Amino acid sequence: MGYFRTIPREIEECAQIDGSSRLGTLLRIVLPLSLPGILSAAIFSFTLSWNEFLYALIFMSSGPLKTIPVGTVSDLIRADVLFWGPLMASALLGSVPIAFIYTFFVDHYVSGLTAGAVKG
């Protein structure tokens, strides 16, 4: 909500003076300007849900539907023995989707920061 408050109200008023409707102003002006804030919130919530270890450990500790962190802890660590090869491979596989999503959205994030909405 705080990010939406940083968008100047004058930009919306200028768009409406130029003939844009309220919905058009929202879709063409406000949402593109607020894209960095929306993406930041989405990436943050995705990362938190991806790393939610405790719920996955409690609800899916047995069976083939284990998440990567739960499977890593329950299958690759046995008492004092650590299987380092598979452990590092699972750490890599667990971090690749997050890195891919960050890489994909960085272009949209930067373009939202540099896009202008005022006619010039």
Side-chain angles (χ1 to χ4, degrees), residues 40-58:
S40 297
I43 288 171
F44 182 70
S45 64
F46 173 76
T47 304
L48 285 179
S49 66
W50 183 263
N51 291 326
E52 192 58 55
F53 176 74
L54 186 59
Y55 286 132
L57 181 64
I58 291 170

Side-chain angles (χ1 to χ4, degrees), residues 5-87:
R5 289 184 181 147
T6 63
I7 298 172
R9 193 162 185 85
E10 290 82 17
I11 293 176
E12 297 175 38
E13 292 171 357
C14 289
Q16 290 179 351
I17 288 172
D18 286 343
S20 180
S21 65
R22 287 184 184 258
L23 182 62
T25 302
L26 177 70
L27 294 176
R28 292 187 193 103
I29 305 298
V30 176
L31 285 181
L33 287 175
S34 64
L35 189 64
I38 293 170
L39 284 178
S40 297
I43 288 171
F44 182 70
S45 64
F46 173 76
T47 304
L48 285 179
S49 66
W50 183 263
N51 291 326
E52 192 58 55
F53 176 74
L54 186 59
Y55 286 132
L57 181 64
I58 291 170
F59 294 124
M60 290 188 278
S61 61
S62 63
L65 299 176
K66 293 180 190 175
T67 61
I68 291 175
V70 173
T72 300
V73 170
S74 64
D75 295 341
L76 299 178
I77 298 175
R78 301 279 185 213
D80 291 339
V81 178
L82 300 174
F83 301 103
W84 285 107
L87 193 64

